[in-house]
Amino acid sequence: MNFYRKYNEDKEKIQHGIVFLDEVDKICIVNEKDEKHHVTTTDVQESLLKLLDGTRVTKTIRKGLSEEHLSIDTSKMTFVLSGAFTKIFEAESEISEKILIKYGMKSELAGRLRTKIVLNKPTKKDLRNALIHGKYSYLKLFNSYLEMLNIDYEVDSFIDFIVDFAYEMNLGYNGLGIAISKYIDEYLFDLMSGDIQKLVYQIKK
């Protein structure tokens, strides 16, 4: 467990940690007619419910050639559940316990979520700032990759194009990576060939 090693194997600190779980909306039942999907999402929700209620989780930790059994009590942990919940916001103006249940979350799990916070959709300014200055900006990472290949690059108005495209996709910050990949993927083979000395990001006419 990286979490265990990060806190110098201090089990007490881990047991008071904050656990952030993203894409929780994807474990809700979308189509009850799909029996396989119904069973899978129900099982995942029940497992998550046990963690929120407080249980002991035992993991085997490898330490060199030996193994250690680590038992963690989740009752003192803080769990933050996050998700886009797109289907809800397409039809509802708020998120409540009843609405979460209506859209597929088990009533027992929905009842454990005491505080519900709805974040605003990122503005174009927010997206642009993330694309240019974000620590994990896909554009910044890809430009670093180009520098490793000794390839010069120009961005120009491409940033505005990506921001507009991502904003219209309505996928939040994830839309930035998707929009850039949509443009760049077809050129990856040529970039690796070593024949390209400069890449100019441009909007296709």
Side-chain angles (χ1 to χ4, degrees):
M1 293 174 64
N2 293 333
F3 201 40
Y4 181 58
R5 295 189 175 91
K6 180 178 180 180
Y7 286 95
N8 299 316
E9 303 182 0
D10 188 332
K11 189 170 74 171
E12 191 60 29
K13 281 187 177 181
I14 294 174
Q15 292 182 151
H16 287 81
I18 299 174
V19 180
F20 183 90
L21 302 174
D22 196 10
E23 300 190 343
V24 173
D25 51 318
K26 290 183 172 57
I27 67 171
C28 294
I29 303 166
V30 177
N31 181 6
E32 294 190 9
K33 294 181 180 179
D34 185 342
E35 184 176 350
K36 182 178 180 180
H37 186 264
H38 181 108
V39 172
T40 300
T41 55
T42 299
D43 288 346
V44 174
Q45 289 191 52
E46 288 178 350
S47 297
L48 180 56
L49 182 59
K50 290 179 181 178
L51 294 177
L52 268 62
D53 281 343
T55 187
R56 298 202 73 86
V57 178
T58 301
K59 290 288 184 180
T60 300
I61 308 297
R62 293 193 62 84
K63 303 185 72 172
L65 298 177
S66 61
E67 293 183 345
E68 175 184 338
H69 296 291
L70 175 66
S71 181
I72 297 294
D73 181 4
T74 68
S75 63
K76 298 177 182 179
M77 289 181 171
T78 300
F79 289 86
V80 180
L81 278 57
S82 173
F85 295 97
T86 305
K87 290 186 177 295
I88 291 181
F89 286 114
E90 287 176 349
E92 311 288 348
S93 59
E94 64 174 359
I95 286 187
S96 65
E97 181 178 335
K98 289 184 178 180
I99 289 177
L100 288 173
I101 295 171
K102 175 182 175 182
Y103 284 85
M105 184 174 287
K106 289 177 65 66
S107 58
E108 298 89 345
L109 180 57
R112 299 300 189 280
L113 307 181
R114 306 299 184 190
T115 303
K116 302 172 186 63
I117 301 174
V118 178
L119 302 180
N120 294 327
K121 175 183 176 181
T123 64
K124 289 186 178 182
K125 182 178 180 181
D126 294 329
L127 293 172
R128 182 182 178 84
N129 185 61
L131 186 63
I132 298 174
H133 304 295
K135 182 177 180 180
Y136 300 105
S137 165
Y138 192 89
L139 181 62
K140 186 184 294 185
L141 292 172
F142 188 74
N143 287 343
S144 297
Y145 177 67
L146 293 177
E147 292 172 359
M148 291 173 58
L149 297 174
N150 295 316
I151 298 175
D152 292 330
Y153 56 87
E154 290 183 9
V155 177
D156 297 330
S157 60
F158 181 73
I159 288 180
D160 293 328
F161 169 72
I162 289 299
V163 168
D164 290 342
F165 192 88
Y167 185 81
E168 294 302 322
M169 290 175 68
N170 198 29
L171 293 176
Y173 296 103
N174 288 335
L176 293 171
I178 295 173
I180 294 174
S181 296
K182 186 177 180 65
Y183 176 86
I184 291 175
D185 284 355
E186 62 182 287
Y187 301 109
L188 289 179
F189 180 81
D190 293 330
L191 290 170
M192 290 297 295
S193 69
D195 297 330
I196 297 179
Q197 296 181 336
K198 186 173 183 177
L199 174 65
V200 179
Y201 297 95
Q202 291 181 331
I203 303 172
K204 291 185 178 180
K205 302 296 185 181

